Amino acid sequence: MHLSGLLPLQALWTALSVSTQHFPSWGHYDLCKTQIHWDQGRSWDYMACQPEAELVSRFLRVRLDPPNSTCGETPEMYCTLENPYMCNNECDARTPELAHPPELMLDHEGRIPNTFWQSVSWRSFPEPLLVNITLSWGKTIELTEDIVITFESGRPEQMVLEKSLDHGRTWQPYQFYAADCLNSFGMERRTVRDLSPASVLDIICTEEDSRGYVWKVDKTVRFEIRERFALFGGPLLRNMASLYGQLDTTKDLRDFFTLTDLRVRLLRPATGATSVDQLNLSKYFYAISNVEIHGRCKCNLHANNCVLEKGKLSCECEHNTTGPDCGRCKKGFQGRPWRAGSYLPIPKGTANICLPNTVTSDHCQCHPYGSLHDRCNETGYCDCKEGTAGPKCDKCLPGYYWHRGCRDFSVTATC
Ligand SMILES: [Ca+2]
């Protein structure tokens, strides 16, 4: 159930996301609990659960540094890289049809021509044209698919993709991109295919996404998630048990795919040549039409739903947990220390629910004949069988007598 005004993320799940190109449906951990009906009563069974993966880039907020990096404050005419005499790309921030604000990186694509953010041109040459694009969720997210950034004016010749796990206080590089890795970053050229399970956390510099004067053919810069997952789950991610098992037991691996913010540091635009044409600097700029990121809210396996409320993403916590990531026990449920749920054992995992304060190991023992379970339920009480009562289910209600549990007098009489 969702309160009105809340936007259930799962409701936004589109047909697109169920296509085979996305995360396999096996092992989705989509249920947090199920009610078990017994002959004599009912109780809850708890399982590890997580929200469905989806297009999470739609929830991003974007910030540019320097803030005046967008074209058009002073109307400007831009030329193309292939033909410096073809100058028909006018940018004017005050005319909606000619403006290219940062939001156009994240709007719904499918329009022709594409909408895109565009930077100022490289008029400051030979000073580098530097723009930092910070993309923030305000919430911890787990990546499930490749990050794909689409450039409309040639891919940058130098760029760094960075991530933050603490809302932008600290940053770590994800990947370096350069036409010449050694020259730009002093790094050897590598690709994701050079990685092994042992080196999966290595930060590499790739040249595959920076070359390409033929920019109309290849416009995307990728950060490969699936190929990293495939090191554990196999090429088609058929062995998800192996991947989930690794994620469960290796915190560094789990953290690698987890983030609150992403930063694209643009260091040098496409030039399409070895030297910069100083007589026509208006053909050098950055333009991004789309940033596509699939992932899910990180809820520590304690929620299967994530909602957007007043512009803020938050897990709908189960298992007596609370907080935006279900990262702590609810008030009154500190019977044992908080723990994240676990993917193991496959396929239902372990819920590791928070227990009520009143639960002590002594109190939590229930009578083996009177109770459905030998341990307390999530509310700290024993689930008593029919006709049974008392904190430990060792007392009979009126009309019942005790014989290895409470039995109904009238049933016995009929017999
Ligand atoms: Ca767009």
Side-chain angles (χ1 to χ4, degrees):
M1 285 294 283
H2 298 280
L3 303 172
S4 61
L6 300 188
L7 187 57
L9 296 199
Q10 274 182 295
L12 293 170
W13 185 240
T14 60
L16 180 77
S17 315
V18 235
S19 86
T20 48
Q21 293 185 4
H22 291 266
F23 213 68
S25 58
W26 189 89
H28 258 189
Y29 296 92
D30 54 353
L31 266 186
C32 297
K33 61 182 178 187
T34 49
Q35 202 165 39
I36 302 174
H37 293 267
W38 308 77
D39 291 348
Q40 299 112 322
R42 56 194 181 174
S43 63
W44 291 103
D45 186 24
Y46 295 95
M47 294 151 286
C49 53
Q50 63 185 3
E52 201 82 66
E54 59 161 323
L55 185 65
V56 287
S57 39
R58 72 179 88 188
F59 305 111
L60 280 170
R61 280 158 196 244
V62 55
R63 201 182 73 239
L64 297 185
D65 181 33
N68 58 355
S69 301
T70 301
C71 67
E73 270 179 39
T74 315
E76 199 176 346
M77 193 64 92
Y78 290 78
C79 310
T80 62
L81 264 185
E82 312 98 309
N83 183 351
Y85 303 104
M86 207 168 107
C87 305
N88 55 5
N89 173 2
E90 187 185 359
C91 183
D92 180 354
R94 281 160 301 181
T95 310
E97 306 85 67
L98 300 175
H100 293 280
E103 294 73 42
L104 296 184
M105 290 180 226
L106 300 168
D107 60 341
H108 176 69
E109 275 305 326
R111 270 183 279 177
I112 296 174
N114 289 342
T115 58
F116 54 91
W117 164 77
Q118 185 169 315
S119 77
V120 293
S121 70
W122 201 356
R123 56 197 174 212
S124 57
F125 183 86
E127 290 291 310
L129 179 60
L130 305 179
V131 183
N132 282 352
I133 303 169
T134 305
L135 301 161
S136 309
W137 281 283
K139 164 85 188 78
T140 324
I141 296 289
E142 292 165 337
L143 298 174
T144 56
E145 294 288 337
D146 295 0
I147 294 173
V148 184
I149 305 172
T150 309
F151 286 86
E152 295 294 330
S153 63
R155 302 181 292 184
E157 287 176 10
Q158 284 176 29
M159 165 184 150
V160 190
L161 189 67
E162 297 177 319
K163 63 166 277 202
S164 172
L165 243 174
D166 53 14
H167 302 277
R169 279 185 285 279
T170 59
W171 294 90
Q172 299 86 40
Y174 248 158
Q175 196 145 297
F176 292 83
Y177 301 85
D180 185 331
C181 282
L182 207 55
N183 221 351
S184 303
F185 299 114
M187 296 170 78
E188 291 291 341
R189 171 181 68 199
R190 290 169 84 189
T191 80
V192 70
R193 293 182 296 282
D194 299 327
L195 297 175
S196 67
S199 64
V200 64
L201 302 182
D202 282 8
I203 306 303
I204 61 170
C205 179
T206 177
E207 295 181 358
E208 293 198 323
D209 290 2
S210 304
R211 292 156 186 256
Y213 183 46
V214 196
W215 53 269
K216 278 181 178 163
V217 177
D218 207 348
K219 305 199 289 188
T220 60
V221 171
R222 303 179 84 88
F223 180 60
E224 298 88 348
I225 300 296
R226 285 185 72 87
E227 284 180 85
R228 287 172 169 87
F229 280 170
L231 293 173
F232 303 100
L236 295 172
L237 295 185
R238 289 227 171 96
N239 189 0
M240 292 301 285
S242 166
L243 172 62
Y244 280 130
Q246 282 293 334
L247 289 170
D248 218 81
T249 48
T250 320
K251 184 179 184 296
D252 285 352
L253 186 68
R254 208 163 55 237
D255 284 352
F256 184 82
F257 299 107
T258 308
L259 71 170
T260 57
D261 302 73
L262 197 68
R263 187 158 71 184
V264 185
R265 286 176 52 206
L266 301 169
L267 304 176
R268 183 183 167 94
T271 61
T274 43
S275 60
V276 171
D277 175 5
Q278 296 188 47
L279 298 175
N280 193 348
L281 291 169
S282 61
K283 61 181 178 175
Y284 307 122
F285 56 93
Y286 308 107
I288 297 179
S289 60
N290 200 23
V291 177
E292 191 176 306
I293 306 171
H294 290 264
R296 62 166 59 93
C297 282
K298 178 190 168 82
C299 301
N300 286 297
L301 296 174
H302 287 312
N304 61 358
N305 210 10
C306 192
V307 292
L308 187 66
E309 190 179 10
K310 290 176 187 162
K312 218 170 152 41
L313 284 173
S314 194
C315 301
E316 278 193 325
C317 299
E318 299 271 359
H319 304 161
N320 305 322
T321 62
T322 188
D325 305 346
C326 309
R328 56 182 197 271
C329 290
K330 263 198 323 207
K331 201 176 166 202
F333 289 86
Q334 275 104 3
R336 66 177 178 190
W338 176 91
R339 283 175 65 194
S342 163
Y343 285 116
L344 303 174
I346 303 286
K348 284 164 70 180
T350 311
N352 291 330
I353 66 170
C354 291
L355 295 174
N357 296 348
T358 50
V359 175
T360 63
S361 56
D362 177 46
H363 182 207
C364 214
Q365 298 295 325
C366 305
H367 196 285
Y369 290 142
S371 175
L372 292 168
H373 310 286
D374 56 355
R375 308 274 296 176
C376 295
N377 65 22
E378 80 282 5
T379 59
Y381 296 100
C382 301
D383 289 316
C384 297
K385 291 179 183 171
E386 190 187 341
T388 314
K392 298 191 176 190
C393 305
D394 54 356
K395 309 263 187 299
C396 290
L397 293 168
Y400 291 81
Y401 70 99
W402 183 269
H403 176 71
R404 293 186 173 185
C406 295
R407 289 165 196 273
D408 191 339
F409 273 118
S410 59
V411 173
T412 316
T414 316
C415 289

